[in-house]
Amino acid sequence: VPSEWTMPMASSSLIQRRLGTTPAVLVASRSYLELHGMPETPHDLDGHLGLFHEPAARPAIWRLRAAGHPPVEIQLPPRMYADEPSALVSAAVAGLGIAALPMGLCRSELERRLLIRILPKWDAGRASVSLLAVRKGDALPSVRTVRDFLVASLPEAMSLQP
């Protein structure tokens, strides 16, 4: 999971409110898996193509964890880098490779069977979901209304854990 998905925000005049975390899961489209095969173990990922959020200057490595197993580091050849996670969802749906995505971001595609979860006992870390806002006294009433709605609804809508 990219460090910016888990790290606290740098110094800012904004207030960060953590809403919860979601596991990062490995996903790919059925068409990709039909061409390249379904990995059964983390080491079966060798030779698959990765869709990564990390900048191109860093190695393309996933650190996978599962209960009862030692952590495993997997390095895949990158097919694509994107700084916007929704672009990675679209690339995975299009069959370009395997992506490690926050479950809350790709849940709809998994439910609609546009994506298939790979190695369901394993995850690639956790992504933090936060709301950034101006200080309470500085926000317009309409902004406060939207903020309150998001705080109340996003954790359930994205299956966030505290």
Side-chain angles (χ1 to χ4, degrees):
V1 168
S3 59
E4 58 269 21
W5 289 0
T6 59
M7 299 296 291
M9 182 178 71
S11 179
S12 170
S13 62
L14 298 174
I15 295 173
Q16 179 180 18
R17 180 166 179 181
R18 188 167 173 263
L19 300 178
T21 64
T22 183
V25 297
L26 299 179
V27 298
S29 71
R30 184 172 311 282
S31 63
Y32 175 85
L33 295 171
E34 286 171 357
L35 280 173
H36 300 278
M38 171 67 92
E40 300 295 327
T41 72
H43 297 290
D44 292 344
L45 291 167
D46 188 41
H48 281 272
L49 300 171
L51 307 173
F52 291 93
H53 185 272
E54 297 285 339
R58 295 185 194 168
I61 296 175
W62 287 325
R63 288 164 188 82
L64 305 179
R65 296 179 298 215
H69 297 276
V72 177
E73 285 194 356
I74 301 295
Q75 186 168 3
L76 300 181
R79 176 117 191 232
M80 180 179 139
Y81 289 97
D83 63 0
E84 172 53 48
S86 62
L88 294 175
V89 173
S90 296
V93 168
L96 297 181
I98 298 173
L101 296 168
M103 175 68 88
L105 187 65
C106 63
R107 184 174 70 178
S108 171
E109 287 78 4
L110 288 166
E111 288 171 353
R112 292 182 291 147
R113 302 185 193 276
L114 296 174
L115 291 176
I116 296 170
R117 184 164 177 192
I118 297 168
L119 304 173
K121 294 181 182 177
W122 294 82
D123 70 50
R126 300 197 70 75
S128 235
V129 177
S130 297
L131 178 69
L132 299 179
V134 297
R135 299 191 194 296
K136 285 187 179 184
D138 297 340
L140 296 170
S142 58
V143 172
R144 287 194 301 266
T145 300
V146 170
R147 180 194 61 218
D148 294 345
F149 170 77
L150 292 173
V151 166
S153 63
L154 269 183
E156 181 179 344
M158 293 184 69
S159 302
L160 300 180
Q161 299 165 353

